[in-house]
């Protein structure tokens, strides 16, 4: 995957899909929150034979899902997932979208109510190039965080360390974590510094 | 009005079914007529047929125009035609006037063969389930074993939903727009006001007004006025009329002061000039009674367990008659049953009637869904 250069937006998306798909057994029932135009679900359907629904609030994205032939439900999940039944999915996914939602705690709790396991991916704001940007006096802008501060859809800026602290507070079990630098190389040494993209497999503590 | 990509000149057809039909109320009709229109061509696999179900005041004239009535365009002409979202180059589209209607299908205006007089109030009450059973006979007649899709807005959406329950193997896609799985108490209350307006009109004559050579125009007009308010949004009415005065100043009388009064009176008059009061009464009751969950202790998910179709559900942000939350009830019942569904909540300022308009995003969503239906 890595050629030493930072992943482009398209490469990053494919990378994101591949990492997530690796955690989804074939034929599962999947819910994808903030599913965009449904490409991940279509990928999981084609590669894993999953049966899944996307949830999306943005009108153009919903149209994209319908064009992609993906089942989509246009609702605002900031208010929770009422209507979705307990444990009705094997996996619930939130890929590169948690940082754009306000109700972080509620959404994480709801995810583990409606599914056995949650898969979360997000950009690590403590990644070294982001720290360097801040040290230079500016909010980071990169392939991974491609927005100026005044136009970013992101509303929650958090790090791998922050996220794990919140999981601890909420009684969420971290079953697996993967971190990658901006070239797509897996990172094990100090992921909060060296990891640009973070992926988690989460469950309820027994 | 310029009509691009129209199906052009169309003509209604009529079919007689001589086999009796047992109605949900327990009554029977010895046979019945349906009037319908078709657009496009049924393919050899007979896999491209789409049924368009009408709401309260619609009928079989869905698209195109009549040669002898060149301003009478179909009620969903913006949706149906070559190159339009419901593309007649791909689909064979069928519009039908429901049983009990007043546009030519057997209904209260028809002559009762047993008496030689018009049915009037003696026409048996028909339900959404009865309409769908009658549609199925039309499907048989047309050689359509399975609809590629059944589509409808409002009460039409209820028929699409009912199709998935009554004939789960004969419908591949149900497109349920601006609809609800059952009426709320408030919905029924509005219907009751409309019915009381008709029933209390001195010209109603217990529903046998035709024999008296009169029409309960006053009641129909009021019924339509109250109904019409529920089809629009507060914001849209405010934008359209605000508090504009007809005569520039307050008249201190009960004649038209405000423009919105004039508009409602116009809508009421227009409707009362062509719609049958008995059909109106029956149709509002059909709405009230529709509740697939009724025999499942109110459990809609259990009621939908037998459905097999894939669903498209859409609602409109300012629709307070059948608000988005009503569509979500359907969506979550479908989820419970692990059925395929695409649900779009469309931003619109036009209230319930939005489903009839050609909002760009709404039509893009319909087009996208319809394009993915294989035929």
């Amino acid at each position: 995957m890595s050629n030493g250069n930072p992943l482009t937006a398209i490469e990053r998306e494919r990378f994101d899909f591949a990492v997530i798909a690796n955690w989804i057994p074939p034929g599962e029932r999947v819910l994808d929150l903030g599913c965009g135009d449904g490409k991940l679900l279509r990928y999981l359907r084609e590669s894993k034979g999953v049966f899944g629904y996307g949830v999306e609030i943005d009108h153009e994205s919903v149209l994209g899902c319908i064009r992609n032939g993906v089942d989509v439900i246009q609702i605002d999940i900031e208010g929770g997932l009422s209507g979705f039944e307990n444990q009705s999915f094997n996996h619930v996914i939130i890929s590169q979208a948690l940082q754009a939602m306000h109700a972080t705690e509620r959404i994480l709790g709801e995810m583990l109510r409606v599914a056995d396991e949650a898969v979360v991916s997000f950009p690590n704001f403590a990644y070294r190039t982001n720290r360097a940007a801040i040290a230079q006096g500016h909010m980071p802008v990169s392939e991974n965080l491609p927005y100026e501060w005044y136009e970013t859809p992101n509303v929650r800026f958090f790090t791998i360390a922050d996220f794990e602290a919140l999981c601890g507070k909420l009684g969420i079990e971290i079953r697996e974590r993967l971190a990658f630098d901006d070239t797509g190389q897996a990172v094990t040494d100090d992921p909060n510094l060296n990891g640009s993209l973070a992926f988690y497999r989460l469950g309820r503590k027994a | 009005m310029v009509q691009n990509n129209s199906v052009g000149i169309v003509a209604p057809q009529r079919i007689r079914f001589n086999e009796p039909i047992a109605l949900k109320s327990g009554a029977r009709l010895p046979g019945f007529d349906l009037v319908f229109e078709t657009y496009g061509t049924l393919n050899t696999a007979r896999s491209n047929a789409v049924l368009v179900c009408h709401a309260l005041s619609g009928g079989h004239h869905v698209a195109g125009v009549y040669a002898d009535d060149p301003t009478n365009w179909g009620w969903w002409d913006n949706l149906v035609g070559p190159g339009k979202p419901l593309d007649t180059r791909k689909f064979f589209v069928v519009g039908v006037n429901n049983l009990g209607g007043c546009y030519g299908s057997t209904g209260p205006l028809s002559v009762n063969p047993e008496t030689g007089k018009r049915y009037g109030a003696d026409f048996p009450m028909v339900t959404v389930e009865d309409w769908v059973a009658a549609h199925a006979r039309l499907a048989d007649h047309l050689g359509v074993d399975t609809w590629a899709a059944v589509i409808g807005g409002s009460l039409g959406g209820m028929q699409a939903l009912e199709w998935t329950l009554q004939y789960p193997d004969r419908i591949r896609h149900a497109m349920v727009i601006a609809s609800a799985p059952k009426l709320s108490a408030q919905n029924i209350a509005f219907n009751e006001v409309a019915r009381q307006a008709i029933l209390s009109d001195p010209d109603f004559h217990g529903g046998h007004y035709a024999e008296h050579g009169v029409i309960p125009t006053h009641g129909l007009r009021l019924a339509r006025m109250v109904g019409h308010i529920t089809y629009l949004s507060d914001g849209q009415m405010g934008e359209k009329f605000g508090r504009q005065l007809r005569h520039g100043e307050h008249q201190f009388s009960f004649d038209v002061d405000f423009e919105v009064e004039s508009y409602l009176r116009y809508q009421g008059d227009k409707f009362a000039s062509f719609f049958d009061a008995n059909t109106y009464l029956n149709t509002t009751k059909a709405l009230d009674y529709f509740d697939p969950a009724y025999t499942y202790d109110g459990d809609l998910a259990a009621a939908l367990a037998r459905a097999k179709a894939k669903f498209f559900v859409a609602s409109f942000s300012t629709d307070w008659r059948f608000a988005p939350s009503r569509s979500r009830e359907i969506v979550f019942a479908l989820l419970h049953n692990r059925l395929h569904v695409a649900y779009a909540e469309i931003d619109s300022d036009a209230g319930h009637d939005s489903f009839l308009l050609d909002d760009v995003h709404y039509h893009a969503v319909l087009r996208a869904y319809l394009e993915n239906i294989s035929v």
Side-chain angles (χ1 to χ4, degrees), chain A residues 104-121:
Chain A
T104 316
E105 291 177 72
R106 177 189 288 159
I107 289 164
L108 286 171
E110 283 283 81
M111 287 173 77
L112 289 172
R113 177 182 68 77
V114 302
D116 303 326
E117 257 190 11
V119 169
V120 177
S121 73

Side-chain angles (χ1 to χ4, degrees), chain B residues 136-212:
Chain B
R137 299 236 191 135
L138 179 61
D140 295 341
H141 164 74
L142 294 169
V144 175
D145 299 326
T146 306
W147 297 104
V150 178
I151 182 172
S154 191
L155 178 56
M158 293 174 175
Q159 294 162 62
L161 177 58
E162 173 59 24
W163 255 99
T164 71
L165 306 179
Q166 204 175 136
Y167 300 103
D169 294 313
R170 299 191 68 179
I171 168 173
R172 291 194 285 127
H173 295 267
M175 300 180 72
V176 181
I177 302 167
S179 195
K182 61 175 184 284
L183 262 57
S184 68
Q186 187 192 50
N187 294 146
I188 294 171
F190 274 111
N191 280 347
E192 174 60 5
V193 172
R195 282 191 295 269
Q196 285 301 324
I198 293 169
L199 293 167
S200 61
D201 186 322
D203 283 337
F204 184 63
H205 296 289
H208 292 292
Y209 43 85
E211 282 174 41
H212 292 78

Side-chain angles (χ1 to χ4, degrees), chain A residues 165-182:
Chain A
L166 180 64
C167 288
K169 181 192 154 199
L170 297 178
I172 292 171
E173 179 184 68
I174 296 172
R175 295 183 178 167
E176 201 169 343
R177 181 192 68 204
L178 294 170
F180 301 89
D181 67 16
D182 61 4

Side-chain angles (χ1 to χ4, degrees), chain B residues 103-125:
Chain B
Y103 298 132
S105 291
T106 298
L109 294 175
S110 307
V111 172
N112 182 346
E114 287 173 15
T115 64
K117 294 180 189 167
R118 288 172 186 247
Y119 280 102
D122 295 336
F123 192 81
M125 209 170 266

